[in-house]
Amino acid sequence: PARLALRWLCFFLLVILTASCSTAPGWDFLSYSLIPLSLAVAVFSEEIPSAILGGLAGLAADVVMDQLAGFTALYLCLASGLISAMFRQLLRKNLIGYMACAVILTAGYLYADYFFYYGIWELEGRLIALEKKLLPSALWAVATAPALFYLIRLTVRLTETKRTLEIEGADDKIDRV
């Protein structure tokens, strides 16, 4: 239990650190990095806790990016839960499967972000926003995804409990031949 609490504390602090670094001037492209971070946690976690952390990471991203609270939170909550279920039941926990999911979900979020905040309103500078803000953020998120995957994997390995096999006491009535 103590190691598990330490693991989730590390995950939570990593989300807070990434969100707070993305508020620094010139570092706003880090806000999309919360997507592969929450997906990496989902790969190595169960469905409900990873969905909760995905929702918290999405809420942090919404606050950082000045978006409608809940847009990214709902997206990451659902994505983290589904990715966790997929990796527990269907996929192997390796970098290739993770990167495929990270690219697909980052591209999906890029499209949704562009469409709901710029495209649907047909704003004049929507292509400039896509070129200068959204696309570099998404590319940075995909580029940093392998490092986040290995960081989360290392955290899980360092905080996992040792499994022991306990054999019940030998029966004294067993005859030896």
Side-chain angles (χ1 to χ4, degrees):
R3 287 182 179 241
L4 187 63
L6 179 65
R7 175 189 305 170
W8 285 101
L9 179 67
C10 289
F11 293 161
F12 181 73
L13 290 176
L14 198 56
V15 166
I16 296 299
L17 179 70
T18 304
S20 61
C21 285
S22 65
T23 61
W27 287 81
D28 57 342
F29 57 87
L30 278 178
S31 55
Y32 270 44
S33 294
L34 290 167
I35 297 169
L37 175 62
S38 54
L39 293 181
V41 171
V43 168
F44 295 104
S45 304
E46 295 176 358
E47 292 89 352
I48 301 296
S50 63
I52 291 170
L53 188 81
L56 290 174
L59 212 57
D62 287 334
V63 169
V64 165
M65 293 189 285
D66 276 341
Q67 292 183 345
L68 179 65
F71 176 72
T72 312
L74 180 65
Y75 185 82
L76 284 182
C77 182
L78 293 175
S80 295
L82 291 174
I83 292 298
S84 179
M86 282 178 44
F87 274 93
R88 288 190 69 188
Q89 303 295 328
L90 301 172
L91 301 173
R92 295 186 62 184
K93 295 178 182 180
N94 60 13
L95 184 63
I96 295 170
Y98 164 74
M99 284 302 295
C101 292
V103 167
I104 290 168
L105 289 172
T106 303
Y109 182 76
L110 172 69
Y111 176 74
D113 194 12
Y114 175 74
F115 180 74
F116 286 116
Y117 285 100
Y118 299 100
I120 200 170
W121 307 111
E122 295 184 4
L123 299 174
E124 262 183 50
R126 67 181 183 267
L127 292 178
I128 295 171
L130 179 67
E131 180 183 322
K132 300 288 184 190
K133 181 183 179 207
L134 300 177
L135 204 53
S137 298
L139 291 175
W140 177 259
V142 171
T144 58
L148 291 172
F149 176 80
Y150 286 117
L151 179 67
I152 297 299
R153 188 169 112 181
L154 177 68
T155 305
V156 167
R157 286 195 178 170
L158 290 176
T159 58
E160 71 184 351
T161 57
K162 303 292 182 200
R163 294 183 181 179
T164 58
L165 178 63
E166 294 182 18
I167 300 174
E168 294 181 21
D171 191 5
D172 292 337
K173 298 179 181 177
I174 296 178
D175 296 327
R176 296 185 185 254
V177 180

